[in-house]
Amino acid sequence: MSRFAEQCGIHDAARQSHLERTAKLIQASGVELVRFAWCDLHGMLRGKTLVASAAVKAMMDGVGMVSTLLLKDSADRTAYKVFETDGTLDLPGFQFAGNLMLLADPGSYQPLPWTHKTGWVQCQTWHADGQPVTLDTRRVLQTALARLNDAGYRMTCGLEVEFHIYKIKGHTADKQLDPSQSDWPGPAPDVDLIHPGYSLLSEQWSDMADEPLRIVQHTAQALGLPLLSLEIELGPSQVEAVFEATDALKAADNMVLFRSAVCQALRRAGYHATFMCRPPFPHIMSSGWHLHQSLTDIETGANAFMRAAPLQGSSNTDAQHTLSSMGEHYLAGLLAHAHSMTAFCTPTINGYARFQPNALAPHAAVWGRDNRGAMLRVIGGANDKATRIENRMGEPAANPYLYLASQIYAGLDGIERQLTAPPATTAPYATDDARLPGSLGQALDALNHDEAFAKAFGEDVINHYTRIRQQEITRHEAAADKNEWQRREYFGRI
């Protein structure tokens, strides 16, 4: 009888080699526990922890997981009535909260640096009959990358991630752990700053924040994440991590692991890291996630956005002064789908307060040449192998797989329809014509009217995403104290 990994059609000689290597590593290192981790709709890691003696077998046979974990909103409330007859008619395999299976990639195994004798493996979800779960967001990106590959391209991404780190007040008496205050969701921690802010890249503030930043550094490097720099951002207690460019799937995997790992490692030392866009304090700066992206021609290995020389007769405001003709089409596709992709790039209610004029955050769906006020910043020039497009729309809480998939599908649509880009903006905050959505609800409405995205992602993915995010909006609208709602929903959990 075949094992579950074989039934799913993914177990080959390479996977067997990784499995044997991982089994030896677990045994030789004295690891006692192995975490089987999976990324949910909200970009958060969940999973089960197995004792070491069961871990290798589970990498072949899978681990059961309640299917409602794919149906949760941002407060862990199930958005579907799974125990009613028609509650999951549009989601076969999810009725009655039955099991899905987690199947690990044995090649992803690594020890966790902040805890004792514990390993970690990355998983994806499968139905019990061995069919892939199409709603798994990592699989959504894999599908998008396969279509990009069919078009003759690979994607490379670099990450610039802003976030906040705070010192927890009374760490040993944290009110999050006070049973008398337990709720759904519970209270956020009380915190102090690690630096006072409003002194961008300050060496003094960097020294003041040295302890938590060292924890971030050591954690990221121990996990093999390609960290390049840690920086003091403008806002109080705000920092930024910059990563070397990698292939797109690896970049998304790195983002998921980085967020989860630094939150856990910092928490053990009495710090609270949050990837919430705007933490709930009077004087704060929004955090963004700037995504640098380029395509590589599979046949030639060249940067497909780079051109040898500016288009004859072009000026700095013409896309083909900097980008290849294909690069212009890709850029135009991102602009054409900017409003609908916002739902994936900025998926929380909180994130929309970031879209303000003159705030180094986008205000409208425009592009600019090396312009940090534009939504899309085109960087590079003729013969520059690092020519790329930076999307400045995203918030650090975004699900990386959906964020990147939205870029691919928008860009591919631009390439297929050979769209042309308007002139670059020289005044990114001066127009209201292409204003980005002002709320998550507006972004979801744009997403639901985007026929190209419905075809690319599949209506099941769009409907599922919209339903869960809409429940979040409905609960927020019903909240008596909306600031406290965001403290509990986002600040304490993201």
Side-chain angles (χ1 to χ4, degrees), residues 67-246:
S67 59
T68 53
L69 283 176
L70 277 83
L71 312 180
K72 300 288 189 183
D73 69 8
S74 56
D76 262 32
R77 296 181 183 273
T78 304
Y80 291 76
K81 297 179 179 179
V82 296
F83 296 107
E84 296 185 7
T85 303
D86 59 352
T88 55
L89 287 179
D90 55 343
L91 290 179
F94 287 85
Q95 191 176 28
F96 306 137
N99 260 5
L100 298 175
M101 300 298 289
L102 287 178
L103 198 52
D105 171 12
S108 68
Y109 174 81
Q110 57 186 309
L112 295 180
W114 65 85
T115 188
H116 186 61
K117 293 187 177 181
T118 302
W120 183 93
V121 283
Q122 183 177 50
C123 301
Q124 286 187 252
T125 51
W126 299 78
H127 290 289
D129 63 359
Q131 294 301 306
V133 176
T134 58
L135 300 179
D136 185 306
T137 58
R138 190 172 190 266
R139 192 164 282 118
V140 170
L141 177 56
Q142 289 169 322
T143 300
L145 288 169
R147 293 181 187 175
L148 185 65
N149 185 81
D150 290 342
Y153 304 105
R154 292 192 304 269
M155 188 184 202
T156 298
C157 294
L159 313 180
E160 293 182 4
V161 187
E162 297 168 348
F163 61 109
H164 291 79
I165 302 173
Y166 297 91
K167 182 72 173 177
I168 299 174
K169 291 183 178 179
H171 179 51
T172 58
D174 182 2
K175 69 179 183 180
Q176 279 192 305
L177 304 179
D178 181 351
S180 67
Q181 298 190 57
S182 181
D183 205 345
W184 190 0
D190 292 327
V191 297
D192 289 320
L193 300 174
I194 63 166
H195 72 76
Y198 305 115
S199 186
L200 182 65
L201 300 182
S202 166
E203 184 177 4
Q204 292 184 64
W205 291 177
S206 182
D207 190 67
M208 184 182 294
D210 183 68
E211 181 182 53
L213 290 180
R214 295 276 184 169
I215 294 171
V216 174
Q217 172 213 335
H218 294 154
T219 301
Q221 291 178 329
L223 292 170
L225 303 180
L227 181 68
L228 289 177
S229 68
L230 290 169
E231 302 169 6
I232 296 296
E233 264 297 332
L234 181 59
S237 245
Q238 188 180 40
V239 299
E240 181 177 41
V242 179
F243 295 87
E244 185 179 350
T246 65

Side-chain angles (χ1 to χ4, degrees), residues 378-398:
V378 174
I379 305 166
N383 280 320
D384 185 346
K385 294 180 180 179
T387 298
R388 62 196 185 276
I389 299 170
E390 177 192 15
N391 190 335
R392 298 176 63 82
M393 176 196 291
E395 67 169 320

Side-chain angles (χ1 to χ4, degrees), residues 110-447:
Q110 57 186 309
L112 295 180
W114 65 85
T115 188
H116 186 61
K117 293 187 177 181
T118 302
W120 183 93
V121 283
Q122 183 177 50
C123 301
Q124 286 187 252
T125 51
W126 299 78
H127 290 289
D129 63 359
Q131 294 301 306
V133 176
T134 58
L135 300 179
D136 185 306
T137 58
R138 190 172 190 266
R139 192 164 282 118
V140 170
L141 177 56
Q142 289 169 322
T143 300
L145 288 169
R147 293 181 187 175
L148 185 65
N149 185 81
D150 290 342
Y153 304 105
R154 292 192 304 269
M155 188 184 202
T156 298
C157 294
L159 313 180
E160 293 182 4
V161 187
E162 297 168 348
F163 61 109
H164 291 79
I165 302 173
Y166 297 91
K167 182 72 173 177
I168 299 174
K169 291 183 178 179
H171 179 51
T172 58
D174 182 2
K175 69 179 183 180
Q176 279 192 305
L177 304 179
D178 181 351
S180 67
Q181 298 190 57
S182 181
D183 205 345
W184 190 0
D190 292 327
V191 297
D192 289 320
L193 300 174
I194 63 166
H195 72 76
Y198 305 115
S199 186
L200 182 65
L201 300 182
S202 166
E203 184 177 4
Q204 292 184 64
W205 291 177
S206 182
D207 190 67
M208 184 182 294
D210 183 68
E211 181 182 53
L213 290 180
R214 295 276 184 169
I215 294 171
V216 174
Q217 172 213 335
H218 294 154
T219 301
Q221 291 178 329
L223 292 170
L225 303 180
L227 181 68
L228 289 177
S229 68
L230 290 169
E231 302 169 6
I232 296 296
E233 264 297 332
L234 181 59
S237 245
Q238 188 180 40
V239 299
E240 181 177 41
V242 179
F243 295 87
E244 185 179 350
T246 65
D247 72 86
L249 185 61
K250 186 64 175 174
D253 289 342
N254 287 345
M255 181 65 170
V256 171
L257 182 55
F258 175 73
R259 288 191 306 207
S260 179
V262 300
C263 285
Q264 293 177 68
L266 284 167
R267 176 76 187 206
R268 286 184 172 232
Y271 295 95
H272 177 69
T274 179
F275 292 84
M276 179 184 187
C277 178
R278 289 183 62 81
F281 304 108
H283 304 288
I284 205 71
M285 297 297 293
S286 299
S287 288
W289 169 11
H290 305 150
L291 179 65
H292 294 252
Q293 54 194 294
S294 63
L295 301 186
T296 299
D297 186 296
I298 292 175
E299 287 189 2
T300 67
N303 182 342
F305 286 175
M306 184 187 73
R307 61 180 309 118
L311 182 67
Q312 187 173 1
S314 66
S315 70
N316 276 348
T317 60
D318 296 317
Q320 289 198 52
H321 191 80
T322 303
L323 297 171
S324 66
S325 59
M326 188 280 288
E328 179 185 13
H329 301 327
Y330 187 96
L331 174 72
L334 294 179
L335 292 172
H337 295 281
H339 291 74
S340 48
M341 77 167 63
T342 309
F344 295 123
C345 304
T346 305
T348 72
I349 293 165
N350 175 265
Y352 288 80
R354 176 171 166 262
F355 297 155
Q356 300 294 328
N358 303 304
L360 288 175
H363 176 71
V366 295
W367 76 276
R369 191 170 184 271
D370 201 11
N371 188 327
R372 285 184 166 86
M375 184 190 90
L376 301 174
R377 175 187 173 214
V378 174
I379 305 166
N383 280 320
D384 185 346
K385 294 180 180 179
T387 298
R388 62 196 185 276
I389 299 170
E390 177 192 15
N391 190 335
R392 298 176 63 82
M393 176 196 291
E395 67 169 320
N399 179 306
Y401 304 114
L402 298 178
Y403 189 170
L404 270 63
S406 72
Q407 308 303 284
I408 292 169
Y409 285 136
L412 279 176
D413 186 55
I415 293 170
E416 290 165 3
R417 293 197 286 149
Q418 296 192 333
L419 300 180
T420 57
T425 184
T426 55
Y429 300 115
T431 178
D432 284 333
D433 293 342
R435 281 289 299 272
L436 293 173
S439 68
L440 179 57
Q442 291 177 14
L444 292 175
D445 185 63
L447 178 62

Side-chain angles (χ1 to χ4, degrees), residues 442-477:
Q442 291 177 14
L444 292 175
D445 185 63
L447 178 62
N448 284 321
H449 287 87
D450 191 320
E451 295 181 2
F453 266 25
K455 182 178 179 182
F457 280 94
E459 290 188 2
D460 57 340
V461 172
I462 299 295
N463 292 340
H464 169 250
Y465 185 82
T466 300
R467 178 164 179 167
I468 289 177
R469 288 300 181 190
Q470 186 58 54
Q471 175 162 301
E472 187 176 330
I473 294 171
T474 300
R475 289 191 301 100
H476 178 258
E477 290 175 345

